[in-house]
Amino acid sequence: MNSQPRVVGAPAARRFLVTRHLLAPPRSLPAEPASVMRVVDRLGSLQFDPLEVAGRNHDVTLLARVAGYRRAWTDALLYRDRVLYETYNKMLSIVPTAELPWYRITWDVNHASHRGGAFDDHAPLVEELLARIQADGPLSSTDVEPRAAIDWYWRPTNQVRALLEALGEAGILAIARRDGNRRVYDLTERLFPADLLARRPDEREQRRHKLLSRYRGNGLLGATGDYSLWTGTGKTPYRRELLAQLVDEGVLTPVEVEGFRGPRFVVSDELPILDAAEADVAAAAGGPNGHVPGVAFLAPLDPLAWDRDLLLRLWGFDYRWEVYVPAAKRRFGYYVLPLLYGDRFVGRIEPRIDRATATLRVLGVWWEDGFDPFDGSAPGFADAFTDALRAHRDFAGLAKVSMPRVARHRELARAVRERL
């Protein structure tokens, strides 16, 4: 990390990020399952969260980038074709199955932890569950008579569910499919090729891969930041060694971004995207890549939003996912999404899927200070906003969109109704 970093202006950094995140314009990838793989190839991993208020986190992430996205495409890639699988990277994530050998350290660490704990403490039930799966095939926690609850992570949990989860964390079992949010497990050796399971890169190589996955995911991380950015990559001194190695090998390139202390790091293969973003800004080309700015609703755990400090310092956008904040303390709402317009964060939106009435309900929209969609400074915004609502409605298989019935959004609601 001794080379003189390249200096990048804030406008170019913003444009680079939305471009490399396949959001310039949004929903520009073809309406096909192959586009899911293109997003995963670019970002490395997608964070999985089962809450389905506006759609699961990874589905909303893909919806922002893929035209006509359907959740069945990703489910098939995960549970039928198995070219993707669920594992713990940045929390629970979806990663390419081809990279399994470089993520198996998570299994090994959890196996060692549970072997001295849950597996020993509840050995008879562990043996029973494995014997049933071996004899009868995939199994979920509801297929077995519940046993007494035990202390498990954040709350007491039925022993069967807890031990199936532990066996999955240890790589003895893996998720064969999901029935809704219910995990159905099978033996790992039945789900993945033997030669893939036999590959064991050394621990340093695996940690290096996990660290690189964070830089691939966000695109412009620094060397520090919130602990959630670095989960599973090792303690800080070790992580710094791995980062130095990635820079020395030319895999990452340090850059100095206007307004930031210390270098940020770009995946070196993406430097042509940065070159193009700088040229785009210099040419005053309007929207990113010369396109009319589009609107995207970003998932709360979208890789572009991983680094909240980056959002604040580069865009002035102070985003907090308030799903775990007590209702009385929320500034905005339960499941509020960042609203991206071109290469600007201009507000937040709280869409909710209401299947009982086949309606996408928009519970609230909040604009950033200085942004007014109807003051003439954003002439195409109403069309772009409606396109994003239509895409979300169609993704969820709904028939209608309802807007907030408040005076401050009357003009927006009228514009949406006219366009829908």
Side-chain angles (χ1 to χ4, degrees):
M1 297 197 302
N2 296 323
S3 59
Q4 187 65 32
R6 172 176 177 172
V7 178
V8 178
R14 291 191 285 267
R15 191 149 294 191
F16 161 71
L17 279 171
V18 297
T19 301
R20 65 86 53 190
H21 272 275
L22 305 169
L23 292 166
R27 299 174 298 282
S28 58
L29 298 182
E32 59 188 18
S35 293
V36 174
M37 294 305 300
R38 182 172 170 191
V39 175
V40 174
D41 288 344
R42 170 62 59 84
L43 303 180
S45 66
L46 304 177
Q47 205 160 337
F48 189 110
D49 187 273
L51 285 177
E52 201 164 355
V53 178
R56 298 173 300 179
N57 182 77
H58 67 278
D59 289 321
V60 178
T61 299
L62 290 161
L63 175 61
R65 295 161 171 85
V66 180
Y69 172 72
R70 296 294 180 263
R71 60 178 288 165
W73 298 346
T74 305
D75 287 349
L77 293 167
L78 280 165
Y79 312 123
R80 185 194 67 197
D81 305 334
R82 302 202 186 281
V83 294
L84 300 174
Y85 82 110
E86 298 179 37
T87 193
Y88 284 87
N89 183 28
K90 185 183 179 294
M91 308 305 288
L92 185 60
S93 298
I94 296 169
V95 303
T97 302
E99 296 180 17
L100 183 153
W102 289 271
Y103 286 109
R104 66 175 306 137
I105 188 170
T106 303
W107 289 350
D108 295 340
V109 169
N110 285 322
H111 192 282
S113 173
H114 291 312
R115 189 173 57 237
F119 293 163
D120 289 346
D121 295 342
H122 306 281
L125 183 53
V126 169
E127 292 175 7
E128 176 188 336
L129 294 173
L130 291 175
R132 289 184 63 158
I133 293 172
Q134 179 71 53
D136 302 328
L139 182 78
S140 79
S141 59
T142 59
D143 296 325
V144 181
E145 181 181 348
R147 313 296 166 89
I150 58 175
D151 288 336
W152 191 249
Y153 293 117
W154 299 280
R155 62 185 182 275
T157 299
N158 164 26
Q159 284 182 60
V160 173
R161 178 178 176 180
L163 292 175
L164 286 172
E165 185 175 317
L167 289 163
E169 290 173 349
I172 298 167
L173 302 179
I175 297 174
R177 68 177 189 277
R178 285 179 180 263
D179 293 338
N181 277 330
R182 185 161 52 92
R183 304 177 187 187
V184 180
Y185 294 92
D186 201 352
L187 298 173
T188 298
E189 65 249 31
R190 288 175 175 165
L191 300 179
F192 302 107
D195 59 342
L196 198 67
L197 293 174
R199 294 191 66 184
R200 285 185 171 270
D202 65 33
E203 179 177 342
R204 184 179 180 89
E205 192 176 345
Q206 292 185 58
R207 297 277 190 197
R208 173 189 176 280
H209 185 86
K210 286 173 75 75
L211 181 62
L212 177 59
S213 77
R214 310 307 161 83
Y215 289 95
R216 289 174 62 197
N218 179 263
L220 200 62
L221 293 181
T224 60
D226 185 82
Y227 79 96
S228 65
L229 291 169
W230 313 114
T231 303
T233 60
K235 294 183 179 180
T236 301
Y238 184 58
R239 191 173 69 242
R240 286 177 175 163
E241 285 182 24
L242 295 177
L243 176 58
Q245 179 184 344
L246 288 166
V247 172
D248 290 343
E249 292 172 351
V251 178
L252 294 178
T253 297
V255 298
E256 294 283 359
V257 180
E258 176 188 355
F260 288 79
R261 274 188 192 172
R264 293 264 155 173
F265 299 89
V266 175
V267 175
S268 298
D269 287 346
E270 296 180 2
L271 288 174
I273 302 175
L274 179 58
D275 295 338
E278 289 180 319
D280 207 28
V281 169
N289 300 325
H291 293 285
V292 174
V295 166
F297 308 148
L298 292 194
L301 302 171
D302 189 292
L304 179 56
W306 279 357
D307 188 347
R308 307 294 202 236
D309 185 58
L310 177 65
L311 294 185
L312 180 61
R313 292 164 67 188
L314 190 58
W315 274 281
F317 187 68
D318 186 7
Y319 178 66
R320 184 182 184 190
W321 191 29
E322 297 183 298
V323 71
Y324 299 115
V325 175
K329 295 185 177 181
R330 291 181 192 132
R331 293 178 58 200
F332 299 102
Y334 175 69
Y335 205 94
V336 171
L337 312 182
L339 202 160
L340 183 71
Y341 175 49
D343 56 5
R344 303 162 59 195
F345 283 97
V346 299
R348 304 149 210 264
I349 185 168
E350 186 175 14
R352 184 161 297 183
I353 295 170
D354 182 348
R355 298 200 184 280
T357 62
T359 302
L360 180 67
R361 299 194 181 281
V362 178
L363 304 187
V365 182
W366 299 265
W367 306 124
E368 289 292 278
D369 291 343
F371 181 76
D372 182 340
F374 298 105
D375 68 358
S377 63
F381 181 82
D383 289 331
F385 182 78
T386 305
D387 285 345
L389 284 174
R390 184 183 294 112
H392 213 110
R393 178 201 67 188
D394 294 348
F395 152 74
L398 305 175
K400 299 176 291 183
V401 174
S402 71
M403 296 293 293
R405 295 179 178 272
V406 295
R408 67 189 180 92
H409 288 318
R410 189 172 294 129
E411 189 173 3
L412 179 66
R414 184 186 307 115
V416 168
R417 282 196 303 272
E418 290 171 355
R419 288 161 174 79
L420 285 176

